[in-house]
Amino acid sequence: PPRTSFPVLHDSLTRFMALLRSTKVCLPQCGTDDNGKAAELVTVYVSEEEPVINRTSTTKLAEVVNRDARSLEDVLLRATRAKSVAAAWSDTHLPECRKFWSNSQGRAADYDLSEDASDIDAFISHCWSPPENWMIVMGPDVNYAVVKSAAVATMAKDIALARNDLQSWGQLLLWIDKACIPQDHETLKLACINLIENFIRRSDNVCVILTWTYMERLWCVYEWACMLKDKAPERCFLQIESFMHERTLPLYLDCIRNFSIKRAECFLESDREILTNKIDSTYVSHEAFETLVKATAVALIARSMAFRGGRSRSLHNTFFTPWADLALELGFGELAAALRTCSASEWRHTAAIRVLMNATVSDVGQVDVPVQGVSAKEYHGHINHWFNSSVSPLLGKIRLEALIT
């Protein structure tokens, strides 16, 4: 059968769901008003900002001033519910999530999306701007904000699935700069930025929305540095599936192969000294840090591609094998050998057999024929076990060599 490219599929799904939302097909889900018309159940941005005195940031400033024994970190730590910023293509609130991710200009209303938190389920690291060649590589109909919204939803569902509570994914607490930093108050904004490392430490997981230019942004590199310092690899997740295809694969390989702190760019060049000093205070040298970044990036991307590679030998050879090859090219011989022990297709087959074994049995003792499928939880479990037992220890050794003790 003819193959459908991701850009075409993405555009088709987006248009199809937009059509459903505009017709009576979606009325049972949306509810109706007194006239029988579809009623919106999503939060709508107001056209004007709240008066300063009524803003959450004003209340938060008062809390900071009168915090008594509470630390500044405890007062300023906030999180937003996944359902407020994440949506799959079929979700009715996708337009609002797209609006949130469309630009980095935060408003008082965005800060209202978050709430005070003591701990965070996942810290989201990402680039606000798409790669300059986005439209050329991904196609003009693939919207960066929509893909990011769907990527965060996927990440939240993966975490919820691992906790045996998939239905709760929308309630997960996420740290996202635009919603958790009061963008309308410069003093509080600066205080939150200075506490980013602490916020990462307070997060159970770190999710990186990894484009092929992520490593070219120094702020992103700094967040990656904080992640490597405070989180074990099994707590670090990449959302890359929607971005990775035959045309972007070489861009990703070059991005990791050529990574260096000097090549990373800052929107404000004045930030460079601040960020490099933070890296210098944690790692023994720039070279050691760059080595750790390359090793972890190769390993984490390989783990992401293992899920895809298990579907067929062709996909394994196209998207997984190049990362084992790059590990060897960069001098990570042990890592390359560990990556080559991945047997994702075998694990996927096992997960599919388990679905068959769990088929229901009818009253007459005959096994009902189940819908073809794979136990996602079991398949993920196999790959994560392999990574945690065979790959993570090697990354731990490189990490110890890179960190200042």
Side-chain angles (χ1 to χ4, degrees):
R3 299 176 63 186
T4 302
S5 67
F6 173 75
V8 172
L9 178 61
H10 175 277
D11 181 58
S12 298
L13 285 172
T14 302
R15 292 175 184 273
F16 176 66
M17 295 316 303
L19 176 63
L20 288 183
R21 286 192 295 271
S22 66
T23 65
K24 291 184 179 180
V25 173
C26 66
L27 290 180
Q29 298 178 7
C30 297
T32 59
D33 58 19
D34 293 337
N35 297 319
K37 297 180 180 178
E40 291 287 344
L41 296 182
V42 297
T43 303
V44 179
Y45 285 128
V46 295
S47 59
E48 297 181 359
E49 292 277 36
E50 286 281 343
V52 173
I53 194 172
N54 295 333
R55 294 182 186 179
T56 305
S57 58
T58 302
T59 303
K60 182 58 63 177
L61 179 62
E63 289 182 42
V64 169
V65 173
N66 303 304
R67 67 182 186 275
D68 298 324
R70 296 179 66 196
S71 69
L72 186 62
E73 174 185 333
D74 286 338
V75 176
L76 292 178
L77 181 61
R78 289 172 69 86
T80 183
R81 299 286 175 177
K83 65 180 180 181
S84 299
V85 295
W89 292 328
S90 59
D91 292 337
T92 56
H93 64 291
L94 177 61
E96 292 306 312
C97 293
R98 171 178 174 169
K99 191 177 298 184
F100 174 84
W101 290 105
S102 292
N103 63 74
S104 62
Q105 302 303 313
R107 305 173 304 164
D110 296 311
Y111 194 53
D112 288 339
L113 293 175
S114 64
E115 61 192 70
D116 291 342
S118 56
D119 293 292
I120 301 169
D121 291 307
F123 180 102
I124 310 298
S125 180
H126 66 104
C127 292
W128 276 107
S129 300
E132 291 184 359
N133 58 350
W134 174 269
M135 292 184 65
I136 297 174
V137 176
M138 297 295 289
D141 296 321
V142 180
N143 184 273
Y144 184 57
V146 170
V147 175
K148 289 174 76 174
S149 173
V152 174
T154 298
M155 176 275 304
K157 292 174 183 178
D158 284 344
I159 293 176
L161 179 64
R163 297 176 177 177
N164 296 314
D165 191 11
L166 180 59
Q167 298 303 315
S168 71
W169 76 268
Q171 295 302 313
L172 292 186
L173 292 170
L174 311 180
W175 193 95
I176 300 173
D177 47 7
K178 184 175 179 178
C180 299
I181 294 178
Q183 307 285 339
D184 59 327
H185 195 291
E186 286 301 318
T187 301
L188 293 179
K189 179 179 177 181
L190 180 59
C192 287
I193 290 174
N194 289 332
L195 288 169
I196 283 180
E197 183 174 350
N198 303 57
F199 295 157
I200 291 177
R201 189 179 303 116
R202 296 276 289 270
S203 304
D204 289 341
N205 306 280
V206 175
C207 172
V208 178
I209 302 177
L210 190 70
T211 65
W212 55 92
T213 57
Y214 175 92
M215 291 294 183
E216 296 176 5
R217 308 304 306 176
L218 193 54
W219 265 108
C220 294
V221 171
Y222 168 64
E223 291 179 358
W224 189 280
C226 295
M227 175 183 78
L228 298 183
K229 176 188 174 185
D230 295 312
K231 293 287 178 285
E234 54 265 30
R235 291 295 183 182
C236 306
F237 300 93
L238 307 184
Q239 283 302 316
I240 193 174
E241 181 73 18
S242 298
F243 304 112
M244 180 74 77
H245 55 73
E246 289 89 344
R247 297 184 67 183
T248 61
L249 174 61
L251 301 178
Y252 276 106
L253 291 168
D254 285 343
C255 172
I256 306 306
R257 180 185 289 116
N258 300 321
F259 168 74
S260 72
I261 293 176
K262 289 183 178 179
R263 287 170 56 92
E265 301 174 351
C266 281
F267 181 74
L268 296 176
E269 194 59 29
S270 57
D271 288 343
R272 180 174 297 277
E273 183 177 358
I274 298 173
L275 297 175
T276 53
N277 285 342
K278 287 180 177 290
I279 293 173
D280 290 341
S281 66
T282 305
Y283 295 91
V284 297
S285 67
H286 284 189
E287 182 180 3
F289 171 68
E290 290 165 0
T291 296
L292 180 60
V293 169
K294 291 178 181 180
T296 51
V298 167
L300 292 174
I301 294 175
R303 181 181 63 184
S304 295
M305 291 299 99
F307 295 102
R308 181 186 297 188
R311 299 174 201 158
S312 73
R313 175 55 56 182
S314 175
L315 289 173
H316 178 91
N317 292 338
T318 300
F319 293 103
F320 180 85
T321 301
W323 297 102
D325 294 341
L326 182 60
L328 189 61
E329 175 189 329
L330 295 175
F332 306 128
E334 285 187 281
L335 177 59
L339 292 178
R340 295 189 194 284
T341 64
C342 178
S343 302
S345 59
E346 178 183 331
W347 300 329
R348 194 171 194 274
H349 181 65
T350 300
I353 291 177
R354 184 60 57 87
V355 169
L356 179 61
M357 292 175 62
N358 290 338
T360 59
V361 179
S362 68
D363 292 337
V364 295
Q366 299 296 319
V367 177
D368 296 332
V369 179
V371 176
Q372 182 67 32
V374 174
S375 169
K377 183 177 180 180
E378 182 167 347
Y379 182 44
H380 286 204
H382 280 302
I383 292 177
N384 288 331
H385 175 74
W386 157 76
F387 186 87
N388 296 341
S389 60
S390 300
V391 181
S392 287
L394 300 178
L395 299 180
K397 289 169 56 178
I398 300 174
R399 177 177 176 271
L400 286 177
E401 294 173 356
L403 285 172
I404 296 175
T405 56

